[in-house]
Amino acid sequence: MPKRQDIKIAPSILSADFADFGAEIRAIESQGADWVHVDVMDGHFVPNLTFGPPAVAAFRRHVTTVMDVHLMIAPVDPYIEAFAQAGADILTAHLEAGPHIHRTLQAIRAAGCKAGLALNPGTPAEAVAPLLDMVDLVCVMTVNPGFGGQSFLDLTDKVRTLRALIGDRPVHIEIDGGVTPDTAPLVAAAGADVLVTGSAVFKGGSVSDPDPYGANIRAIRKAAQGATG
Ligand code: DX5
Ligand code: ZN
């Protein structure tokens, strides 16, 4: 189980002002974000389109923490090198994105990034068992990927199973989708230690009034830590 101080908050810039990413990234970091989560969507694996490698490289110039790049694309392998070159610290691919996830994870580490493995809500925790020595992070999607602002799916049992499978390996469990001060304690208590949160961080604030970002981050962190203390 993660210790109190180990909860990381990773705001998703999918909920930021798309005309002002540099300022938005600086704002969330100055307001206490631990990582910056970047959602890459291809209009094929998920029904939405976002950023390619040049945009991610431009974000990198503003990130001073950790750039956590979530690839919702299929195929993945042809783009790994480009996203690594764009400056991703963590590259997360979906287990469902192709037949050769083992090869994909090898390629991510070979490109110099930490390797993340994301699971759609319908994919069981047990599916990652053969891959746990190849990953630095498992991302449990608690919405169907593609859009911010969706309702949280309660997959607490899956998170608990995953934490048991991971054992004492140094592997993060990241939760992505519908994380709020109400839902964060459920997943933190089950063993999650990285919380992606888009709409619940950006709501009420802006680059010219970023204090609400900080209040939102602190509220989520406090709720999560209360569940792990
Ligand atoms: C969904 C994305 C998430 C999303 C989270 O496909 O992977 O990162 O931005 O947004 P919220 O926190 O609003 O559910
Ligand atoms: Zn994401």
Side-chain angles (χ1 to χ4, degrees), residues 12 14 37 39 41 70 72 145-149 176-178 196-199:
S12 164
L14 193 60
H37 184 84
D39 286 307
M41 304 187 185
H70 178 190
M72 286 163 275
F147 302 95
D176 190 359
V196 174
T197 164
S199 46

Side-chain angles (χ1 to χ4, degrees), residues 10 12 14 37-41 68-72 92 94 118 139 141 143 145-146 174-177 196-197:
S12 164
L14 193 60
H37 184 84
V38 178
D39 286 307
V40 174
M41 304 187 185
D68 174 33
V69 178
H70 178 190
L71 299 176
M72 286 163 275
T92 296
H94 269 260
C139 174
M141 294 300 305
V143 296
E174 176 178 77
I175 305 298
D176 190 359
V196 174
T197 164

